[in-house]
Amino acid sequence: MATTVADEKKNLRAVLKESRDALSHECAAERSEIIQRRLIESDFYRAASAIVLYAAKDNEVSTDNILTESLSAGRAVFYPRVDVASGTIVARRVRSSAELHSGAYGILEPPESADVLDRSNFTQILICVPGVAFGLEGQRLGRGGGYYDRFIGLLGDDAISVGLAYSFQLLDRIPETGLDRRLNFILTESAIHRALRSATAGPRDAD
């Protein structure tokens, strides 16, 4: 029986998630520190007036330092709020980490009453994206569910999308369909990788 793209993604997700989970807390924190510093020192971060962060889960690269720096610098900071019923993400503004509370899938998210991201209010939006694995050409294998592919599509091609990853999560190839969203950059503790990005929206199994 031929292996489908969905099968490849499922198998790859299991292997890479196991590798990520095997990282010690100290190792994950040390690498996250370096990755966040790379982002904060980048030109595309400095050019952004608004930034969309994710709340790290299951040993994902942390974004806590980025939040602190962004708020200190006066940038507008947003976090995803997931609507499971519609399969969508809405970015809502936070002004303190204390505003984040456990939401869908046990991931910290802002309250429903928080301000929604309005693209027209900002000259440049930067979105930091979590993932289980990434490809050199900007491909991404995420948590599962397709939320981020659809969300990136809604933000439009003017938004800069950045995957935050440990070096072992960056692969030569990631299985994808013609509907998968590619990212602009992949940041690891070793380097910043400029990637190619697809202009198409993502399917439910691509996240």
Side-chain angles (χ1 to χ4, degrees):
M1 181 182 297
T3 301
T4 66
V5 171
D7 290 335
E8 288 186 80
K9 288 183 178 183
K10 181 179 179 179
N11 294 336
L12 189 59
R13 185 178 282 116
V15 171
L16 270 295
K17 187 176 184 303
E18 182 177 352
S19 298
R20 188 185 67 196
D21 291 346
L23 283 178
S24 67
H25 175 75
E26 293 75 14
C27 183
E30 180 180 346
R31 295 185 186 186
S32 289
E33 178 86 21
I34 297 171
I35 294 165
Q36 291 178 92
R37 190 184 316 130
R38 283 190 184 278
L39 179 78
I40 291 169
E41 293 174 351
S42 68
D43 290 340
F44 48 84
Y45 170 79
R46 291 170 180 163
S49 54
I51 183 165
V52 181
L53 298 177
Y54 63 86
K57 184 176 184 287
D58 300 331
N59 248 10
E60 291 174 333
V61 175
S62 174
T63 62
D64 291 348
N65 293 349
I66 304 171
L67 170 63
T68 300
E69 204 286 333
S70 296
L71 292 174
S72 176
R75 289 180 175 82
V77 180
F78 298 81
Y79 277 79
R81 183 178 174 86
V82 173
D83 184 330
V84 177
S86 65
T88 60
I89 279 176
V90 175
R92 294 184 178 274
R93 189 167 184 174
V94 301
R95 293 172 173 81
S96 166
S97 60
E99 297 177 30
L100 299 172
H101 299 281
S102 182
Y105 307 110
I107 300 170
L108 294 178
E109 61 183 26
E112 191 172 5
S113 59
D115 295 338
V116 175
L117 172 61
D118 183 344
R119 291 178 296 169
S120 65
N121 290 335
F122 303 100
T123 56
Q124 183 64 71
I125 298 173
L126 174 68
I127 171 173
C128 293
V129 186
V132 178
F134 299 86
L136 289 170
E137 295 185 335
Q139 307 98 321
R140 171 181 169 273
L141 184 66
R143 294 164 171 165
Y147 293 99
Y148 272 95
D149 288 294
R150 291 186 288 277
F151 179 55
I152 292 171
L154 290 174
L155 284 181
D157 292 334
D158 291 337
I160 302 297
S161 56
V162 182
L164 305 183
Y166 307 114
S167 291
F168 67 83
Q169 294 177 292
L170 184 61
L171 309 178
D172 291 337
R173 175 185 173 274
I174 295 289
E176 61 179 340
T177 71
L179 296 177
D180 289 346
R181 280 277 169 179
R182 292 187 176 186
L183 308 178
N184 297 114
F185 296 91
I186 310 297
L187 267 68
T188 72
E189 69 272 21
S190 302
I192 295 178
H193 301 270
R194 183 184 293 273
L196 301 175
R197 181 178 170 189
S198 168
T200 54
R204 291 197 61 83
D205 69 345
D207 188 353

